[in-house]
Amino acid sequence: MEHVPPPAEELALLDRELAQLDARRAHLLTRRAWLVSALQPQAPQAPNAPRWHTPPVGHGWAPGQPWSAAPRTAKPSGPPRSAQNVLLTLGGLLLTVAAVAFTLVSWGSMGIGGRSAVLALVTLAALTAPVVLLRRKLAATAEALAALALVLTLLDVYAVHAVAAPDTDGLTFTAVSSAVLAALWAAYGLALGKLHLPLPAAVFFVQWPLLLGAWAAGAPAIVVGWALLVTATVDGAIALWGKGLGVRVTAGIGLAVMGSAALLTGLGESLTADGPLGAALPGTLLLTAAVAALAGAWRAPNGYAQVGGVVAGLAAVAAVGGVLRAAVPGAWHVPVYLLCGLALLSVVRAPLPRGAGRGVLGAAGAVVAGALLWAVPPVAAVLLGPVELVAEVWAGAPGGFRGALGESMRWSESAAAPVVLAVVAGLLGAAYRWWPSLVRVAAPLVTPGAAARGAAGAGALALGWGTLLLAAAVLGVPYPVAVALETVLVAVLLLVAVRGAEASAAGPEGVAGGGRSAVAVTALVAAVGGAVSVGLLSLAAEAATYAVFGALVVLFAGAALRTRAVVEQAVFAVAAVVWGTVLTGCAARSLELAPHEAAPLLLVVPAVTVLLGARLRLHPVALPVELAGALGALVAVGLAVPDAPFLALVLALCGVLAAGAAVRPERRPAAGYVAAVLFVAATWVRLAASEVSAPEAYTLPVTVPALVVGVLRRRKDPEASSWTAYGPGLAATLLPSLAVAWTDPDWVRPLLLGVAALVITLLGAKYRLQALLLLGGAVLALDALHELAPYVVQVAGALPRWLPPALAGLLLLAVGATYEQRLRDARKLKDLLGRMG
């Protein structure tokens, strides 16, 4: 019977075996390396030398290979390739420097015949040498001499202009020279196909003849644009059919630079044209560029085809839109370009390659996005314009919608913005409605998913909402009509958000139904934003404020009751609480109450939220609603700060609300502490407002019964925390007394407070009560610090200036040296405090 060891023993055996195998393998590899190094310098074996036909195992010889044929590391026959390239580069650079120095320095010391002969011979030799070197397979050297020949030809051109044709115009001479050099290096590169430099150099020289020729002739900008376009077309052809990567890359760079310059030139001329006839010529240039780009995209790879399609689409829009733009008023220029961009959508039915077609669609999207960027800022002005009314609440209803928005916006220039928004919203809405048909039609080019449909629906909703708001501002409707319109729009958005939330909560069908959740989220955000905007807008008139905020409370509360989706329900409920708080503030203003007098009135809504939380209990919406009410209570406290008696009253009322919330078990831990803090703070504020110099007369009657209640609580529930039982009672006296003791010049109060704190600390240590220990110890330490502070200041003034930093350094060194021990001590102290009651 086979013995199977336990898993731990078997694992140890395996580890030992693996360690032995690793050691053996390392030994064999070391031996092999020594043998290979010993065999390398040996001379070839004699004919009668023995041959090993069975190679040693594990040394890398193939089966049947004799020992003498063992693979050896071949020594390099010459310097590495990188070293060769460095040498050739340095040599060519030196020759180039010498040629430049000769041309610029020594040229004048020779006659015209000598100059011509030297330059001709040197250039001819530099051009001929690569032919001989390529035949001997010295390609790198030939490449270096070709680079030298390129520099020499440039020097020849400079020399010819300086000596033979000094009066010739520089731009004209450069244009002709570029054409000659392009032809020369193209022929040279085609003749010597193995060289990599000549053909890219020819492509580089091709960029300049037409551009510099047009510039030299003083041609108008449109002619310069045509020169740039022809050059870019040549570059595109070279990039498509050129030989070698260097040629295609150089041509591609030239295409990008020259093509962009041509398009910008045509666009600038089109935008500055005086009329349709003046825009026709730059439009022809742009349209030709579009045809050339589309032709290149037809034959280019997929990625480049998409870029070509985008360029073709944008150029076509600029061409046609530029002519139409010149025939309409200035406010309608953007809609003209938008319609031209939308016309590009017909490409889905055109027999274009997929890459080029998708590029044209991308151009259409870019035009639409640009139009929206122009039309959206006025919508933002409509939404944010009423912020100015906050400084002048109820100053009187303005004459119209524009008066409430301010006159900083020139609405006459935005007359076409609602049209742009309406057109795009209509297209997105149609796409959302007839999505299956759209997918079927666009299938040859794009295959959008359900998320795209949701985005289309959300965009249609947002843009439609913005269209109505902006149209009201542009038309200058009366103020009551604008307020009513925005309120109705908020109601419609809430209805859409509720229905979308219900559809999403219904299950997978609602979610997969084509982006209803995206539409619902957009409607929710727009509803909240619209509510804020119309609320600000209503601040111009008192009646409008009550009507709007009352309607908002009803609408958002109804939406919260109608939906079952938790997130939407919480947002609606919190918004309703906020609008209710604003309503109470408006009521206080109507009653002409001062801000501190209005503070207790603001606590009505927090009281309602506490009652509502007790009704909802563990519902997920309960906590957001109560937090929103707490925010209103915080605002009330802020309003009451200037008046101490009212502040004490508000703090006490807030404490009552917190105590009411603490009645519920799920709110007891947090609300209980908050209630205690609020009650204590109210007491302190009240004592400070009454200028009480002996707070113990008021705090001790509270502390004694509170401690009695704490003792009874601990007897009934030994697991109750000492902070819950004794913390509020002790803090009610200790903390106010400490505050007064720090400003008391006498010694009696600090002494009595210190003795009381010491007794409390000792009781906490004896009975292991955390609240007594920490609270008493903190008060004792602060009281002692107050008493010792004058003496510490005197001692510090008598010490040398260098002593405190030195002592601090020694302390840091000591703590650092015993850091681990101090850390363990801190952990022990933390555990000890944690075990206390």
Side-chain angles (χ1 to χ4, degrees):
M1 184 174 182
E2 185 180 358
H3 172 68
V4 179
E9 183 178 349
E10 185 178 2
L11 179 61
L13 291 173
L14 291 176
D15 289 340
R16 284 196 294 270
E17 291 290 339
L18 290 174
Q20 293 176 1
L21 290 175
D22 289 341
R24 181 61 177 166
R25 183 175 183 276
H27 172 73
L28 293 175
L29 288 175
T30 304
R31 180 62 178 172
R32 177 186 181 278
W34 181 85
L35 292 173
V36 170
S37 62
L39 288 172
Q40 280 181 357
Q42 292 180 358
Q45 291 182 342
N48 57 354
R51 299 169 62 90
W52 293 91
H53 295 283
T54 304
V57 180
H59 286 75
W61 282 273
Q65 183 180 9
W67 176 273
S68 60
R72 300 178 182 179
T73 304
K75 291 185 178 181
S77 58
R81 180 66 103 180
S82 58
Q84 181 186 14
N85 291 337
V86 171
L87 293 176
L88 292 174
T89 302
L90 289 176
L93 182 61
L94 291 175
L95 290 175
T96 302
V97 172
V100 172
F102 167 75
T103 304
L104 298 178
V105 178
S106 302
W107 185 260
S109 62
M110 300 178 64
I112 186 65
R115 300 170 187 174
S116 303
V118 169
L119 274 178
L121 288 176
V122 173
T123 305
L124 183 62
L127 291 172
T128 306
V131 179
V132 180
L133 293 173
L134 287 175
R135 291 177 181 175
R136 298 189 177 185
K137 298 181 179 181
L138 298 175
T141 309
E143 203 75 51
L145 288 178
L148 174 62
L150 175 62
V151 176
L152 288 175
T153 53
L154 294 175
L155 294 176
D156 289 338
V157 170
Y158 166 75
V160 169
H161 180 265
V163 176
D167 298 330
T168 306
D169 180 64
L171 287 176
T172 304
F173 186 84
T174 305
V176 175
S177 301
S178 299
V180 173
L181 288 175
L184 171 64
W185 282 100
Y188 189 75
L190 293 174
L192 302 178
K194 294 183 180 180
L195 291 179
H196 300 289
L197 180 62
L199 289 180
V203 174
F204 172 78
F205 289 124
V206 164
Q207 312 302 314
W208 310 111
L210 293 178
L211 175 61
L212 296 180
W215 193 0
I222 191 65
V223 176
V224 176
W226 279 102
L228 291 168
L229 179 59
V230 172
T231 304
T233 305
V234 173
D235 288 332
I238 296 173
L240 286 175
W241 295 297
K243 294 172 56 179
L245 180 62
V247 173
R248 292 195 295 272
V249 170
T250 307
I253 296 174
L255 171 62
V257 175
M258 297 298 178
S260 300
L263 291 174
L264 291 176
T265 302
L267 180 62
E269 292 296 307
S270 176
L271 293 177
T272 56
D274 295 332
L277 293 179
L281 191 57
T284 305
L285 171 64
L286 293 170
L287 201 58
T288 304
V291 173
L294 191 60
W298 203 294
R299 296 168 177 82
N302 185 39
Y304 297 103
Q306 292 190 26
V307 175
V310 171
V311 173
L314 293 178
V317 170
V320 180
V323 176
L324 299 177
R325 176 203 64 84
V328 298
W332 295 91
H333 289 173
V334 174
V336 167
Y337 284 108
L338 175 63
L339 294 178
C340 295
L342 294 177
L344 295 178
L345 296 177
S346 60
V347 74
V348 296
R349 309 299 295 175
L352 289 178
R354 184 178 178 88
R358 296 181 72 171
V360 175
L361 285 181
V367 174
V368 173
L372 290 179
L373 286 177
W374 173 79
V376 166
V379 179
V382 173
L383 292 174
L384 301 178
V387 173
E388 299 178 357
L389 298 176
V390 176
E392 300 178 358
V393 177
W394 297 349
F401 193 15
R402 295 184 185 178
L405 299 177
E407 299 298 333
S408 60
M409 192 76 181
R410 289 180 287 186
W411 297 104
S412 59
E413 298 180 2
S414 304
V419 177
V420 172
L421 296 175
V423 170
V424 180
L427 288 175
L428 292 177
Y432 180 78
R433 175 64 179 82
W434 292 287
W435 187 255
S437 301
L438 176 65
V439 172
R440 186 168 55 255
V441 172
L445 296 182
V446 292
T447 54
R453 183 183 185 186
L461 180 66
L463 293 179
W465 171 56
T467 299
L468 295 176
L469 292 178
L470 187 56
V474 170
L475 295 176
V477 299
Y479 175 75
V481 175
V483 172
L485 174 63
E486 288 204 40
T487 307
V488 171
L489 289 178
V490 171
V492 173
L493 291 170
L494 285 175
L495 179 62
V496 175
V498 169
R499 290 188 175 181
E502 290 296 314
S504 300
E509 294 182 359
V511 177
R516 288 180 182 144
S517 60
V519 174
V521 170
T522 303
L524 176 63
V525 175
V528 175
V532 174
S533 178
V534 71
L536 294 173
L537 183 64
S538 68
L539 295 178
E542 183 177 5
T545 302
Y546 281 107
V548 168
F549 280 102
L552 291 179
V553 171
V554 173
L555 288 174
F556 278 87
L561 294 174
R562 179 66 179 82
T563 184
R564 293 177 297 171
V566 175
V567 175
E568 287 81 354
Q569 195 175 39
V571 173
F572 295 147
V574 169
V577 172
V578 173
W579 311 143
T581 305
V582 175
L583 266 181
T584 56
C586 294
R589 183 177 178 84
S590 297
L591 295 174
E592 297 182 355
L593 299 177
H596 63 274
E597 295 174 340
L601 185 60
L602 288 180
L603 295 178
V604 172
V605 175
V608 174
T609 59
V610 171
L611 297 176
L612 186 60
R615 178 71 175 84
L616 296 174
R617 299 190 67 81
L618 296 178
H619 194 281
V621 180
L623 180 60
V625 168
E626 291 180 84
L627 291 178
L631 181 62
L634 185 62
V635 173
V637 171
L639 292 175
V641 166
D643 190 274
F646 267 93
L647 178 59
L649 174 61
V650 171
L651 289 173
L653 293 176
C654 291
V656 171
L657 295 179
V663 173
R664 297 155 50 197
E666 65 273 10
R667 297 286 183 264
R668 186 169 299 156
Y673 290 118
V674 172
V677 171
L678 289 172
F679 282 132
V680 172
T683 304
W684 297 347
V685 173
R686 181 67 262 180
L687 293 177
S690 302
E691 298 181 355
V692 174
S693 59
E696 294 81 5
Y698 299 90
T699 58
L700 283 175
V702 177
T703 296
V704 173
L707 292 178
V708 172
V709 172
V711 171
L712 297 177
R713 171 70 186 278
R714 290 275 292 184
R715 288 182 179 180
K716 182 178 179 181
D717 183 14
E719 299 298 328
S721 172
S722 60
W723 288 101
T724 305
Y726 308 120
L730 292 175
T733 295
L734 289 179
L735 297 182
S737 298
L738 178 64
V740 176
W742 268 69
T743 59
D744 191 351
D746 201 359
W747 59 273
V748 178
R749 184 188 304 278
L751 177 61
L752 295 176
L753 178 63
V755 171
L758 177 61
V759 172
I760 293 171
T761 304
L762 294 177
L763 290 175
K766 179 179 180 181
Y767 295 103
R768 303 179 63 82
L769 297 175
Q770 188 181 107
L772 275 68
L773 179 63
L774 295 181
L775 194 58
V779 173
L780 179 61
L782 292 174
D783 186 64
L785 178 62
H786 172 263
E787 294 302 308
L788 294 176
Y791 305 103
V792 173
V793 171
Q794 292 178 3
V795 172
L799 292 176
R801 294 291 183 89
W802 56 267
L803 188 57
L807 294 176
L810 291 175
L811 177 62
L812 292 177
L813 288 176
V815 172
T818 59
Y819 175 75
E820 294 296 334
Q821 181 62 37
R822 302 287 79 76
L823 192 60
R824 286 192 294 269
D825 294 341
R827 288 171 180 167
K828 291 179 181 178
L829 180 60
K830 177 184 176 183
D831 296 339
L832 179 61
L833 291 175
R835 288 193 295 268
M836 288 185 176

